[in-house]
Amino acid sequence: MQAPCISPLPPRYRLAFFAAASLLFAPLVGATEAKRNDLSAEDTTRVEDVTRPTNDFSRPEQYEAMPGGATTSRNPIDADAFSHASANLGFSEEENFRLGKALFEKLWVSSPSSTQASDGLGPLFNARSCHSCHLKNGRGHPPENDAGSSSSMILRLARPARTDKERQTLAELKVVSFADDTYGNQLQDVAVPGLAAEGRGTVTYTEERVTLAGGETIMLRKPQYSVADLGYGPLGTDTTLSARIANPIIGMGLIEAIADADILAMADPEDRNGDGISGRAARARDHRTGELQLGRFGWKAQNASVRDQSSSAFVGDLGISTPDAPGHWGDCTSAQAPCREMPNGIQTRLGNTEAPDPVLELVTFYSENLAVPTRRDVGSPDVLRGKALFYRIGCIACHTPKYVTRRDAANKAQAFQLIWPYSDFLLHDMGEGLADGQQVGDATDREWRTPPLWGIGLTDDVNGHTFFLHDGRARNLTEAILWHGGEAERARNAFASAAPEARRHLIRFLESL
């Protein structure tokens, strides 16, 4: 049976740079241009043609089964589906990938240690390795009796600006948030021997009943967070807690290779076209140069590059200093004097940080080159019907299906690839239900970066669970959709009011990604 077709998509899907976004963003980023500067006129026409969203759902699109272009992994789908290198890496690059993998999975130890190339952990930390949070390079989870350790979820700590000077500091992105005066930017629940951990995050849930068309009822769980066993006195009275589970890290180099102009083309902060979607581009400061760039990584798009995302995790989650974040005490604050006085892992013969280059470079390379797996069942009638509904109710207004990466991407393997991440990488107001009370850089407490959807259907295969959203509150894809509010409320309501079979088709489409 032929899947239904829908009318052509709204004019916001054009390659030309949105004028409003240009005026808002270009002076802040500096190098952003109105159009891509890596394409010839002929290339531009080709890119516009191939990235135009389809209105034919009778069959799969050409190359749709290869979401990462030539980098796509064709390996068997199993628990290691997110652990393969980009399929088109050269021999020498494969060696760097393997070295990066070893460092990504390396267990760091406290100082002093006889294994001097591996010490420097903490003194306060959340995990001993990158792999501990990003297990099998996949999605983290909240604490659950049936899901094992909670090390793949952390609690961010932040307080509002208290003075005009602090508000100006935030506006200029000299900081992305203000930390708790005692406990810093996130709660570290583990410490090296001889030091008290900061505390233990706890979560309790209340449930809300939602009735869908056809009489199906869904229970949505709303989390409430607190901290037990505080080790250094009370939290600040204005400190807020926001949970974060680890994101999958497949396809990150491809995301970095998307042209700024193509992401900014989706921005419409004033909703001038009246479609109810007003995505905003996030700014982020490069950790090495301090220059403003387009943010595209992290739940709040607070990082501009894979390297910046990696260095943030080293210092925040592991307490390991790098050339981009040289503080060897990690997130210990000046109020935690015993932490600041603990031994560190700096070996002067290797460098002046605990993870000197090439450690950060190799971990970054590994993270940039984890391949997106090939899609499944792209030609299934149910999947095609679900895709049609996904497009028709407006999900692609934020989950932009496809891009062609820059011709001059830093890694040739990622250059000029047709990719299907299903994200615009912009900030969107997701409503009060998902608000966390914290401003992070340009993102308000109600705004979140649109996460890419590629690989989402393999979460259970890779990580043995189906917890979604920034804090894992959603226990399946249906719950994740029903938590959408704000700019996404219209699409959420259309899903809730669709016939049960149509909803099942849409979930089947997501499971095929």
Side-chain angles (χ1 to χ4, degrees), residues 171-183:
E172 295 175 357
L173 287 186
K174 293 179 180 177
V175 297
V176 297
S177 64
F178 287 106
D180 181 83
D181 294 333
T182 299
Y183 290 91

Side-chain angles (χ1 to χ4, degrees), residues 5 16 18 28 42 76 82 101 103 168 174 183 204 304 315 350 379 385 387 390 413 435 448 471 478 496 501 510:
C5 293
F18 204 122
L28 302 173
E42 180 181 357
F82 294 170
K101 173 179 165 59
L103 291 167
Q168 184 64 26
K174 293 179 180 177
Y183 290 91
T204 57
V315 69
L350 301 176
R385 293 187 187 102
K387 179 182 175 182
F390 187 85
W448 301 90
D471 52 10
T478 297
E501 186 177 30
L510 293 176

Side-chain angles (χ1 to χ4, degrees), residues 110-444:
S110 59
S111 302
S113 170
S114 59
T115 56
Q116 293 183 349
S118 297
D119 66 351
L121 181 68
L124 297 169
F125 58 98
N126 295 104
R128 291 183 58 197
S129 72
C130 305
H131 190 254
S132 298
C133 293
H134 298 279
L135 185 63
K136 293 185 177 293
N137 308 301
R139 190 180 304 273
H141 57 76
E144 292 284 335
N145 291 334
D146 58 351
S149 168
S150 62
S151 66
S152 53
M153 188 186 86
I154 56 98
L155 288 179
R156 294 281 191 206
L157 310 177
R159 63 168 177 82
R162 295 169 179 160
T163 65
D164 288 342
K165 182 177 180 180
E166 287 189 345
R167 282 183 279 275
Q168 184 64 26
T169 298
L170 271 178
E172 295 175 357
L173 287 186
K174 293 179 180 177
V175 297
V176 297
S177 64
F178 287 106
D180 181 83
D181 294 333
T182 299
Y183 290 91
N185 291 294
Q186 70 188 54
L187 184 77
Q188 269 95 25
D189 54 4
V190 194
V192 299
L195 190 69
E198 290 187 323
R200 176 173 52 86
T202 64
V203 56
T204 57
Y205 295 98
T206 56
E207 293 202 336
E208 303 173 1
R209 183 184 303 273
V210 176
T211 302
L212 308 181
E216 180 183 3
T217 60
I218 301 292
M219 300 301 294
L220 299 183
R221 59 178 194 170
K222 183 175 183 178
Q224 293 179 312
Y225 299 102
S226 59
V227 181
D229 305 325
L230 283 166
Y232 299 86
L235 286 166
T237 56
D238 54 355
T239 295
T240 56
L241 310 176
S242 182
R244 300 283 194 277
I245 63 171
N247 265 313
I249 56 174
I250 54 173
M252 290 179 66
L254 293 170
I255 294 170
E256 192 167 334
I258 298 171
D260 285 3
D262 285 356
I263 294 176
L264 292 168
M266 301 294 102
D268 184 10
E270 304 300 325
D271 191 19
R272 295 193 177 191
N273 64 0
D275 68 351
I277 309 298
S278 51
R280 296 196 304 125
R283 302 168 301 159
R285 289 199 182 273
D286 182 277
H287 289 190
R288 288 173 290 180
T289 68
E291 295 178 356
L292 282 170
Q293 297 183 0
L294 175 65
R296 60 182 82 191
F297 296 103
W299 285 106
K300 297 279 190 175
Q302 69 271 23
N303 285 311
S305 68
V306 180
R307 181 178 173 117
D308 286 355
Q309 186 75 9
S310 299
S311 68
S312 294
F314 263 109
V315 69
D317 300 339
L318 306 177
I320 298 291
S321 60
T322 69
D324 297 7
H328 60 262
W329 52 81
D331 193 37
C332 297
T333 68
S334 57
Q336 297 169 316
C339 178
R340 294 286 187 115
E341 295 168 359
M342 297 297 288
N344 63 68
I346 295 175
Q347 309 295 329
T348 54
R349 73 184 191 282
L350 301 176
N352 59 0
T353 60
E354 293 164 321
D357 281 332
V359 173
L360 180 58
E361 292 173 342
L362 288 168
V363 168
T364 299
F365 186 84
Y366 173 74
S367 302
E368 289 172 339
N369 288 283
L370 283 163
V372 181
T374 186
R375 275 190 58 193
R376 290 84 49 216
D377 303 324
V378 292
S380 162
D382 285 356
V383 168
L384 290 169
R385 293 187 187 102
K387 179 182 175 182
L389 181 61
F390 187 85
Y391 280 52
R392 187 175 72 240
I393 66 177
C395 298
I396 64 166
C398 301
H399 290 284
T400 305
K402 48 189 170 175
Y403 300 85
V404 172
T405 58
R406 291 187 64 91
R407 267 202 179 278
D408 57 357
N411 189 324
K412 289 179 63 176
Q414 295 151 357
F416 211 56
Q417 299 295 317
L418 173 62
I419 64 172
W420 307 68
Y422 282 92
S423 173
D424 61 9
F425 304 100
L426 298 174
L427 298 175
H428 291 279
D429 181 340
M430 295 299 292
E432 192 59 33
L434 291 179
D436 68 346
Q438 294 186 359
Q439 178 180 350
V440 179
D442 281 334
T444 69

Side-chain angles (χ1 to χ4, degrees), residues 484-499:
H484 284 48
E487 296 174 44
E489 187 168 4
R490 186 184 304 174
R492 176 261 183 218
N493 291 343
F495 172 79
S497 62

Side-chain angles (χ1 to χ4, degrees), residues 439-454:
Q439 178 180 350
V440 179
D442 281 334
T444 69
D445 69 327
R446 293 166 56 112
E447 288 182 314
W448 301 90
R449 179 202 69 152
T450 306
L453 298 181
W454 50 19

